[in-house]
Amino acid sequence: MTSTSTDIPDAGHHSRERSPHRSRTHSHGRSRRSAHHHSRKPRHHSRRTALLLALLCLLAAACGKEGSPPAKGPSAAELPRYRVDSGFRLPDSATWRKARARGRLVVGAKEDQPYLGEKDPASGRYSGFDIEIAKMVAAGLGFPANRISFRTIASANRETSLQNGQIDYYVGTYTINDNRKKLVGFAGPYYMAGQGLLVRKDEDSIKGPADLDGKRVCSAAGSTPYQRIQHDYPKADLVSYDTYSICVDNLLTYQVDAVTTDDSILLGYAAKVPEELKVVGKPFSEEPYGIGVPRKDNALRLAIDGILAARERDGTWKKAYDATLGLSGVPAPKPPPIDRYPAS
C-alpha cells in the first residue's frame, strides 16, 4: 500500500476554483424542477429517489457532510503495475539525490478530485489518474509505490512547496503556463484537458456550449470556467457555489442542467456514477496538465519527460487512464506532445 502523508491541507479542487463569493442565484429553483421530473416518471419515483440519496451520500463522503468529495476510488486490483527501474541513477538532479538519501519520494497531489487525485479518509489511500501518473514516474525513477509519500498540497501552495523542497514533484491537474514556468519547471504535458460540460445521462438537449441558452449551468464562483460561460455564452443561467461537488449534487437533484469545469474533473464525477451522469461535447479550451518540479532541476524534468514518453509508447499510460478516468465511458485520448523546452 502506498505510504501517505497529509502535512499540508488542501484548500480546494483546482487553482481556478478558489472563490471568495457565493452566487446570489443559487438558492432557488429546486422544487419546480424536481416536481416536474418526478411527475414525468412516477413509476420510477421510489427507485430513483433511493438511488439519488445513495449517490448524494457518496458525493458527501459521508451523509451530512455537504460539499465534500466522494471517498471511493478505482479498485486497487484493477490498476496497472509499473516496472521499477532499480538501476536508474540521476546524479545531476539534486532532488533525486535527496530522495534517494531519504529512501522515498515525496509527491504533492490533490485529495478531492474523483478518479484524478482522491484520498480515502478511512484508509488514507490516494487514488486516481494523477496518482497513477505519479506512481508511473516514480517507478521510472527507481522508486516502487511503497516508497512514495503523497502529500495533499493546496493549489495556492504548489509553487512554494516545490521551491522550498517540501515535495519532490507535483501531479494534480496542474496547468502549464508561461507565468508558472517563471517559478517552477514542468515535465510533460501528460494530459490535455479543456473546459467541458457534465449533464445527466437522460439529457439530450445539451451537446455543447452552444446549447446552453436558458439552461441553468453551475460552476465554482469566480473560476475561469464560470467567467468563460459568463463572457462567451451570456444567455446561460449561471449558478455558482464554492465547490464542484455541490454543483454535482444539484445536477443529480435536477436543480441545475449542467456543470462546467475542466473535462478531466467532470470525467471523474461521471466515472463515479456512469449510469446517471455523462460528459458531452468537445472541450472548448485547452489546459495542458504537467508535472511540477523545482525550476532549476532540469535533469529531473527531462528524465520525467523521457519516462512519460516511454510509458505512452508502450501502452502503460492508456492502461492508467482506462482504470481511472476511463470508467466514465469516455475512451482514452491521444496524449499531447511532450514539450522538452530548453533550460533557462
Side-chain angles (χ1 to χ4, degrees), residues 139-202:
L141 293 174
F143 293 85
N146 63 1
R147 290 295 177 181
I148 306 172
S149 292
F150 285 104
R151 288 186 179 176
T152 301
I153 304 293
S155 294
N157 295 336
R158 290 180 292 201
E159 289 82 12
T160 302
S161 297
L162 287 166
Q163 290 168 344
N164 65 19
Q166 287 179 280
I167 56 176
D168 298 318
Y169 58 86
Y170 181 92
V171 190
T173 60
Y174 199 8
T175 300
I176 301 171
N177 62 43
D178 290 339
N179 286 333
R180 287 175 177 163
K181 279 184 178 180
K182 296 175 183 177
L183 302 172
V184 299
F186 280 104
Y190 62 89
Y191 186 85
M192 182 63 75
Q195 187 167 346
L197 295 169
L198 181 72
V199 300
R200 291 179 295 274
K201 195 77 171 183
D202 59 0

Side-chain angles (χ1 to χ4, degrees), residues 268-283:
Y269 283 111
K272 284 289 183 187
V273 283
E275 71 282 2
E276 287 290 318
L277 299 174
K278 63 183 179 181
V279 177
V280 295
K282 295 181 179 180

Side-chain angles (χ1 to χ4, degrees), residues 13-14 17 69 110-118 130 173 265:
H13 286 263
H14 196 278
E17 287 184 44
K110 292 290 183 70
E111 68 170 22
D112 57 358
Q113 293 179 341
Y115 286 77
L116 270 170
E118 185 174 29
D130 282 343
T173 60
I265 297 173

